[in-house]
Amino acid sequence: MKARYIFSALCMAALAATSCTDLDETLYDKVTLESFGNPEVAVESNVTSAYASLRGYGSGTDEGNGVNCYPTCEYVFFTTECSSDEACIPTRGTDWYDGGRYQEMQFHSWTPANTGVLSLWRYNFVGVSKINSIMNQIELTDIPEEAKTGAIAELRALRAYYYYNLLDNFGNVPIVSDFNTAELPKNSSRKEVFTFVEKELLEVIPQLKSDILYGRFTQNVAYTLLARLYLNAEVFTGTPRWQDCLDACNKVKGYSLASNYKQNFFIENEKSPEIIFAIQYDHAQGTVGNYLGSMSYHYNQKLAFSPTGNWQWSGNGICAQPGIFSSYEEGDVRRDLSILSGQQKSAADGSDVLMDDGSPLNYTEEIVNYVDAKQNEGVRLDKYEWSVDDAWERDNDWVLMRYAEILMMQAEASFRLGYEGAALGYINQIRQRAHLPALTSLTLNDLDNEWKHEFVFEGLRRNVNIRFGTYFQPWWAKGDSYAKDNGYPIVDESDHHTAIYPIPQEEMQKNPNLVQNPGY
């Protein structure tokens, strides 16, 4: 992200977290000194600073050594992706064992002590706490009421995004909307959290800006989040809201599919006409937490990317689960624009790149032994554009919502309401861009596959698995004959308790008012 970089940090005291977490962070402003005397400029700076928490933060916990160990692209993304049927982080010798947290994600055997679960909780509640603090400051600021109302509305919408994540991942969480609340909060039920998110969005939408503002919560972004909420209403509350999902989708205006699928993931992807909401990054501005590419490629991938081998270090971690690569239809351009497979060639002379043991760096779909995988096993995440000049911190903006999701929500909601013709019209727009023939009939399996292939490695798959019911069924290295033959844990998911994560052990210890989620 370059030209439209809008984030500045807020010059303020460390935030006292009131929402079950004690994580503090001091942020610093980049507004010119001449602007500090203008309350309206200060309020705008405060509002835009709230978005910085989307990138993540230093956790202050042992495994992170106090540095940025909970960014969106790593701990948060890894936790949700590796519990789905899409991605995994195999243990390769001693690499990526990390206390077994990724194995627990693969097997659905996580416990309240899993640090990935802790990171997901804290990431969202730190965002909530920061927003509550900023809202409190704005309420005390002497500015015109109209400006104050607009600022508060935008912050409430962003807070609703964090609470949607908490609703989706943990279900029964405390609702903390007042920064000055002193007592330790209690859980609200999942239905109550759903109602809170819905109410917040519906109340603030008329007060949000209706035009397109890249990287900001506008009416379009709020309607997209509202559509997501209604798409998953049956999972969250037991009552489907398909028509409400369609109605929200129909209110998103001004976006179109990019002609080139990859444009959404270019280094300068802010130019895509498709992106509705993204986390903005620009390493020259000091943003941190955007290094996903380096977490997937093999250590020697640098030789395939750079003639001199000077490309950034990579960690040989997250990769696609077996079956993802081969599930694409013949001719689907999204596969090779998202996944790196096969023998890697030297950028210097075209020869085969080798691993340190002298064997070819040939990414295979098959992973023979999940807990003792070979270094080249697993095809790699290759969705975001890379450059030979990459710094460790990338400049691609992290895509959270795009217009293709609106089309897919319209397709699924229409189909579930019995409007197959309308559903085909929406889904075939996406397939046309992927260079695939139009479907003439539709099944739930077709919809599931289109979600999987259009949004591979975008963090949506766990949610789709749960909505379609596949989350609780056996798949590779989870509850199937392969898992049994290799001695992997078999978890009883018949009660669907794994649809939400446990409340982290550390948070339970800090707050005796919290009640653990069922099944844990």
Side-chain angles (χ1 to χ4, degrees), residues 385-433:
E385 181 187 29
W386 57 268
S387 165
V388 69
D389 299 319
D390 277 337
W392 170 253
E393 294 290 347
R394 308 301 201 265
D395 291 336
N396 323 66
D397 291 341
W398 185 273
V399 180
L400 294 177
M401 303 174 186
R402 56 190 179 89
Y403 183 63
E405 184 183 354
I406 295 294
L407 292 173
M408 279 302 305
M409 288 193 287
Q410 289 172 312
E412 182 177 338
S414 295
F415 181 79
R416 291 184 185 273
L417 286 168
Y419 308 137
E420 183 177 3
L424 284 167
Y426 295 125
I427 202 170
N428 282 334
Q429 292 181 56
I430 294 174
R431 289 178 59 83
Q432 181 180 23
R433 182 177 63 178

Side-chain angles (χ1 to χ4, degrees), residues 286-303:
T287 58
V288 294
N290 187 8
Y291 45 82
L292 177 64
S294 287
M295 294 293 96
S296 187
Y297 304 120
H298 184 271
Y299 315 112
N300 287 349
Q301 187 65 38
K302 60 186 179 181
L303 302 174

Side-chain angles (χ1 to χ4, degrees), residues 120-134:
L120 192 59
W121 175 280
R122 286 184 169 173
Y123 170 84
N124 288 291
F125 268 120
V126 164
V128 168
S129 184
K130 287 183 178 181
I131 290 168
N132 287 342
S133 174
I134 296 169

Side-chain angles (χ1 to χ4, degrees), residues 298-301 303-304 343-346 351-362 375:
H298 184 271
Y299 315 112
N300 287 349
Q301 187 65 38
L303 302 174
Q343 175 63 50
Q344 301 304 293
K345 298 293 184 179
S346 167
S351 61
D352 288 352
V353 174
L354 304 178
M355 296 186 290
D356 290 345
D357 65 0
S359 58
L361 178 54
N362 179 23
Q375 289 195 358

Side-chain angles (χ1 to χ4, degrees), residues 28-41:
Y28 300 95
D29 199 289
K30 293 179 182 175
V31 177
T32 61
L33 291 176
E34 292 81 2
S35 300
F36 283 109
N38 186 328
E40 292 186 54
V41 171

